Structures are given as structure tokens and as C-alpha cells.
Amino acid sequence: MGNCFSCFKVPLPPSINTDQPVVIVEHKDELMELRGLYPNSCQQSGSFMHETQVNGNRKSISTLSTFNVGSDNYGSMPSVQNNMRLSRGFYARLQPLGRSGTSSGLNATSDPKQQKEPSESKLNALFDQYKDQDDVILAEGIEKLCNDLQLSPDEFKVLVLAWKLNAEQMCQFTRHEFVTGLKAMKVDSLRSIQARLPEIVQELMVNSDLFKDLYRFTFRFGLDVTSGQRILPVDMAIVLWKLVFTIREPPLLMRWLKFLECHHIRGIPRDTWNMFLNFAESIGDDLGAYDDAEAWPSLFDDFVEYENDQMNQNITKDDIMKDASIDKA
């Protein structure tokens, strides 16, 4: 890139497996009644309430089967005494229920926080594909990386990638920037980078704080840090303004850039760059909300004055044309 900007699950616990269903008897006096109520076999079921009439009274007998395991038919029903002993053994092995009332082994889902972390070894291997002999990805390596990502070096997504890597300067990614930045993005392959970048662009479109962070990064990214540059050359500033405003473009952007070109401004200081975002967001397209008494940079005063002069000249020209047409009539 440079100043030419050319390269710019949580596993489920072991299932409870028993060949026989479990019968829980709530009242001792129902013990004898159970012998005549249940047939020799039963259909598979999770848990149910069985109701019957005994001596004219409705009785409810709760039964708990073995969590839908086995075939459709459980087979012969064991004796009630065996079921009582089995139920005691079953409860001794059963984990206590959580507050939600469900077993810890039921409805288990993977925690998003436990998603697979990017592999640092894969990231280092990916870096090695593009690095220079000085263990830094330079212009040629960045161009190759962009080609593999199917991106143009001067594309907005490349600026977004540099922002997420917190790159110190154009045309250079250090190993630390590359590995640390991609780990923070939760990616470790070309395919995952390609999938993640559009998501970040969508976040920037709706999140003004994120966009402001990208916007301020862009100024620093455009400086030549090797020479200690502190003011962005206007030609570079124009390129970067067009690039960063690929999304969220303010209505007066092109008029601002035309003003800079016409007046041969030499450079843009950091404060002017940063305040232009506030200026563009708070001042309407007709500049009617601009107050020169506020603490705006003097360059903004010059721009508004220039735009008002242009508007007045256009109005005068329109009046002259109208007067001429009236005279001809």
C-alpha cells in the first residue's frame, strides 16, 4: 500500500441404560392394587400418569420409565417388589435435578463461549505463506494475501482487515499484529477471514462507535511512521476519505474533497481529520446549521464560506438568466 496505496460441546453425561422400566409407588396401600392393574408388557413412554378406578375411587399412580431407551416394547413387567428395589437403586445413581426441574443430562446444549478457539499454529503457518525474509508481510505479501482473499488491495475490506489487525502502517503486517488480530476476529484460515469480513462491515454500518474507531484509525494508518510524519498529505487524505466513507458517506463529502483540491491544501492535521466526522454528521447538506462561532478548525470556516459564495454565484447567474428571458419576451 504505502503512500501510493497500491496494496492497500459440552458432552452429554452417560445415558442411563436399564433393561426394565421403573415403577414408583407413592403409597404403601396401593402395593397390592398394582399387581392387578399392570399387564405383562407396556408401551415405551417417557413419563406418564396412569389413572384407574379402584373400588369406585379414582387413583393416580405415577410411573417413570427409562428415558426413552430400548425398543418400542419393554417386555415383561417385573414384580412390584423388584421394581421397588430397582427404583431405590435408580435414585441412588440419578444426579440431582437443577433448579429448572430437568436433569443435567437433558436438553444439554453447547456453550457459545466454549466454541473452538483459533489455532495459533495455523495462524503462524498462514503468516509464513506471505512473510518476507525479515519476518514481516510487506507490499508483495499483502498483495498475494488480497488475491487469495479475492479482494482488491485498495478495497474497503482491506482497510477493515488492517484496522482489526491494528496495523501500525501501510504495506506491513507484523507477525504479532497478524496472529493477535486474527485470533481476536476468531478466524484462522482464508475461508474464515472471507466469511468474517462482511459481518464486520455490517456491524460498522449500524454501530457509529465502531465506525468512529475505524475512522480515527484510518488517519494513523495513512501516516508514514518511519519518517515521523504527523500531518497527512492532502492527496493521501482524499484517497482515505473516499475509502473510509465507502459506507456511511456524508452528503457533503464530494464537495469537501473538491474544495481541498481547488485550494491546494498541503496537509490535514489529526484534529481536522477527527473533527470532520462530527462536522459532516452535525451540519446539514445546505450548511445552514453551521455556526462559525463554535470551535471548528479554520479550514471548515473557509469551506463554508467557499460553498456560500458558490451558492450566491449560482443564484446570481439564475437571476441573470431569468431577467434575460424576460427581456426577450
Side-chain angles (χ1 to χ4, degrees):
M1 286 175 282
N3 286 341
C4 64
F5 205 71
S6 61
C7 61
F8 187 92
K9 271 169 169 197
V10 182
L12 292 173
S15 60
I16 301 167
N17 187 9
T18 178
D19 295 332
Q20 300 295 343
V22 180
V23 178
I24 304 166
V25 182
E26 297 180 347
H27 302 287
K28 184 176 180 181
D29 59 356
E30 294 174 348
L31 179 61
M32 298 305 295
E33 297 177 11
L34 283 171
R35 295 182 181 273
L37 291 178
Y38 285 92
N40 290 331
S41 63
C42 63
Q43 298 295 320
Q44 178 182 6
S45 174
S47 62
F48 61 91
M49 295 293 294
H50 181 77
E51 294 186 353
T52 186
Q53 297 288 332
V54 178
N55 298 327
N57 297 321
R58 173 173 291 184
K59 293 286 185 179
S60 295
I61 301 171
S62 300
T63 65
L64 177 65
S65 68
T66 55
F67 294 100
N68 296 325
V69 296
S71 61
D72 289 340
N73 295 318
Y74 284 111
S76 300
M77 192 72 171
S79 66
V80 176
Q81 289 85 349
N82 288 339
N83 281 327
M84 292 290 289
R85 289 193 295 269
L86 182 58
S87 67
R88 287 194 295 269
F90 172 79
Y91 275 105
R93 297 191 304 271
L94 185 63
Q95 296 294 327
L97 298 179
R99 292 186 177 181
S100 62
T102 60
S103 172
S104 60
L106 297 177
N107 300 324
T109 57
S110 59
D111 188 347
K113 294 182 180 179
Q114 297 183 7
Q115 291 177 352
K116 184 179 179 182
E117 288 294 322
S119 168
E120 189 163 331
S121 61
K122 288 180 65 176
L123 289 172
N124 279 292
L126 185 62
F127 178 87
D128 292 339
Q129 296 181 31
Y130 306 102
K131 71 174 183 176
D132 191 76
Q133 60 184 3
D134 295 327
D135 202 40
V136 177
I137 300 178
L138 298 177
E140 185 177 349
I142 291 177
E143 185 174 0
K144 184 175 184 297
L145 173 63
C146 291
N147 290 336
D148 291 344
L149 292 173
Q150 299 179 345
L151 298 174
S152 172
D154 58 354
E155 192 171 337
F156 177 68
K157 289 178 183 177
V158 179
L159 175 64
V160 172
L161 177 61
W163 167 59
K164 298 304 290 185
L165 300 186
N166 197 27
E168 285 292 327
Q169 65 182 81
M170 287 185 181
C171 270
Q172 177 175 304
F173 294 148
T174 66
R175 183 180 293 273
H176 175 75
E177 291 169 349
F178 190 86
V179 173
T180 303
L182 293 183
K183 281 183 69 175
M185 290 172 61
K186 304 295 184 183
V187 296
D188 58 11
S189 66
L190 293 174
R191 179 175 297 181
S192 57
I193 296 172
Q194 285 179 309
R196 182 73 180 107
L197 286 175
E199 297 174 352
I200 298 174
V201 172
Q202 290 297 318
E203 293 169 5
L204 288 165
M205 292 178 68
V206 300
N207 190 319
S208 59
D209 290 334
L210 278 181
F211 182 79
K212 182 181 292 185
D213 190 65
L214 169 66
Y215 178 82
R216 295 190 173 188
F217 163 84
T218 303
F219 178 87
R220 175 175 64 81
F221 187 60
L223 296 175
D224 182 2
V225 296
T226 58
S227 64
Q229 194 176 64
R230 295 186 178 182
I231 295 178
L232 201 60
V234 71
D235 56 344
M236 175 61 70
I238 290 173
V239 169
L240 291 178
W241 260 317
K242 289 179 179 178
L243 180 64
V244 74
F245 282 122
T246 299
I247 62 172
R248 304 173 69 103
E249 179 181 333
L252 53 75
L253 175 65
M254 300 313 297
R255 292 153 61 191
W256 166 252
L257 299 182
K258 180 181 178 182
F259 163 78
L260 295 178
E261 292 174 336
C262 292
H263 288 74
H264 307 290
I265 307 300
R266 294 183 60 185
I268 303 296
R270 183 186 299 270
D271 287 346
T272 300
W273 174 276
N274 289 342
M275 292 189 71
F276 178 75
L277 182 60
N278 298 332
F279 174 79
E281 291 177 346
S282 60
I283 305 302
D285 187 31
D286 61 355
L287 304 177
Y290 185 77
D291 184 359
D292 56 7
E294 296 183 11
W296 294 113
S298 60
L299 190 59
F300 294 173
D301 295 336
D302 297 339
F303 168 65
V304 173
E305 183 179 354
Y306 170 79
E307 284 295 304
N308 288 335
D309 289 344
Q310 293 294 110
M311 188 177 300
N312 291 334
Q313 290 178 12
N314 292 336
I315 292 174
T316 302
K317 288 179 181 179
D318 291 341
D319 291 340
I320 293 174
M321 294 296 293
K322 288 179 181 178
D323 292 342
S325 63
I326 291 174
D327 291 341
K328 288 181 180 180

